[in-house]
Each structure stands twice: as C-alpha cells, then as structure tokens.
C-alpha cells in the first residue's frame, strides 16, 4: 500500500538553529499538508500546498516557517530559528484530489525536540 | 479555540463489547467528519467518515452517527477487539476548505 514517508523520525536541535523536516508524499497525490501535535495536545493544521504554492496556512505558520517542493517528489518544512515551543510531532499528509478528505494519508511523523 | 472536542481522554472496554467514542463540535460550518486511529510512533490512519447530509455511516465493525442539531458525533465499534486499542481522533472540515480540525483524542483500551 502506498505510504507517505517522513525523515528523520526523530530530530534534536538546539534553540535558534534551522531545521528541515522531509516528506515524500504518495506519488500521484497533488495536495500536501503539514500538521503538528505538541505532546498531550491535539493535532493542529499548519499549512496546505497545491500547485507549487501555499493554499492555506494557520496562525501557527508564521514567518519562521516555510515549505517547499524542491524536486517534484520531496515536500519539506523548514523552521528557520527553532524555539523550545516548536518541540512537537510533525506530520506530513497528502491526498490525490480536492474534496476527498477521506483520502488524506498521513506519514508516521518526525519528532522534533528543541533543546 | 476548541472547535472539536473529545471530552473523554480515555476509555476502557471489555473485549467483545461495544466501544462508544464521542465528539462534539461548535462550528456549524463543518459538513464533513472523520475518525482517525493512531498507534504510538505512527501517523493518524483514516477509519470512517460521514458527511452532514447523512446521520449514519457503517463500515464493518465501525459505525459513525451524526446528530447535527446537537453538533455531536459518535463512533461505535462492535465487537471491540484488542487490536482496537489506540488513540482515536475525531476531525472535521467544511466544503471548500482543505484543512482538518482535530479533537484532542480518546485513548481506547480493550481489556482481553
């Protein structure tokens, strides 16, 4: 079964450092997303991406965050200057077409720990 | 901003019995609801969904009920099996919007 692959599974970084979280969505999917889950809290939407541009972003997704699809297969989330409160599980998701919300497929996540 | 709420953080059910997980929402614009299951160290996995034009959707052991007037949905699992032990998230979306709004999750433990 096709899956969304995220690397690394765990990333430890020092406060103020830049970090890039990587995702390989399912190959025929066109819509890409990042969500995060702070420990003990709910899964929160960060950003959606379609046709090489951001289609929607949340209040969390401020200027220190950026996304990119550099080569047609990878989808990355960059945090420019990490803060302690960025520590969370980050989930990438993709789906094939609009309005098929049940088609969301999530990756296994990257646990980001900022120290 | 708790637009989707799951008020029970945990639930324990005997194997073979019915598990009922509840979810409430406040945003009347939501018109599509989903349940996800999540194991530790894995991403959420889609279980079942329902659109606001229905009040029930069934898929094998899983049934979702939607009460729009009460802004409440529930997931019924029957019979419950040990492999059902996981965290269950309710999520909602509205037409034209690509994002999912999640609840805080309910940890279901099936007791053999």
């Amino acid at each position: 079964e096709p899956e969304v692959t995220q690397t690394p599974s765990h990333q430890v970084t020092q406060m103020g450092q830049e970090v890039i979280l990587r995702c390989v969505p399912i190959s025929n999917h066109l819509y890409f997303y990042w969500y995060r889950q702070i420990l003990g809290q709910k899964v929160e939407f960060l950003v959606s991406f379609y046709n090489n541009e951001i289609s929607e972003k949340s209040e969390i997704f401020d200027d220190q965050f950026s996304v990119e699809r550099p080569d047609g297969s990878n989808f990355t989330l960059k945090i420019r200057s990490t803060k302690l409160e960025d520590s969370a599980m980050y989930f990438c998701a993709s789906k094939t077409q609009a309005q098929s919300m049940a088609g969301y497929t999530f990756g296994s996540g990257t646990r980001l720990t900022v120290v | 901003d708790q637009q989707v709420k799951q008020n029970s953080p945990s639930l324990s059910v005997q194997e073979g019995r019915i598990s009922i997980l509840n979810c409430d929402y406040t945003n009347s614009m939501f018109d599509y609801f989903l349940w996800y299951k999540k194991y530790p160290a894995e991403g959420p996995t889609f279980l079942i969904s329902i659109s606001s034009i229905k009040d029930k959707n069934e898929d094998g052991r899983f049934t979702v009920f939607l009460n729009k007037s009460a802004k409440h949905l529930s997931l019924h699992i029957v019979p419950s099996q040990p492999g059902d032990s996981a965290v269950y998230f309710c999520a909602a979306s509205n037409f034209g919007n690509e994002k999912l709004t999640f609840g805080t999750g309910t940890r279901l433990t099936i007791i053999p």
Side-chain angles (χ1 to χ4, degrees), chain B residues 88-108:
Chain B
Y88 288 78
F89 290 97
C90 168
S93 71
N94 55 283
F95 186 81
N97 190 311
E98 290 293 301
K99 73 178 185 184
L100 293 174
T101 300
F102 282 85
T104 48
T106 296
R107 180 177 301 279
L108 176 65

Side-chain angles (χ1 to χ4, degrees), chain A residues 13-17 36 38-39 64 79 81-88 90 112-115:
Chain A
T13 189
Q14 286 206 317
M15 190 169 57
Q17 294 295 304
R36 79 172 186 190
I38 294 171
L39 187 64
Q64 70 160 344
I79 309 175
S81 177
T82 50
K83 302 180 221 165
L84 294 176
E85 54 264 38
D86 293 328
S87 295
Y90 287 81
L112 177 66
T113 303
V114 182
V115 296

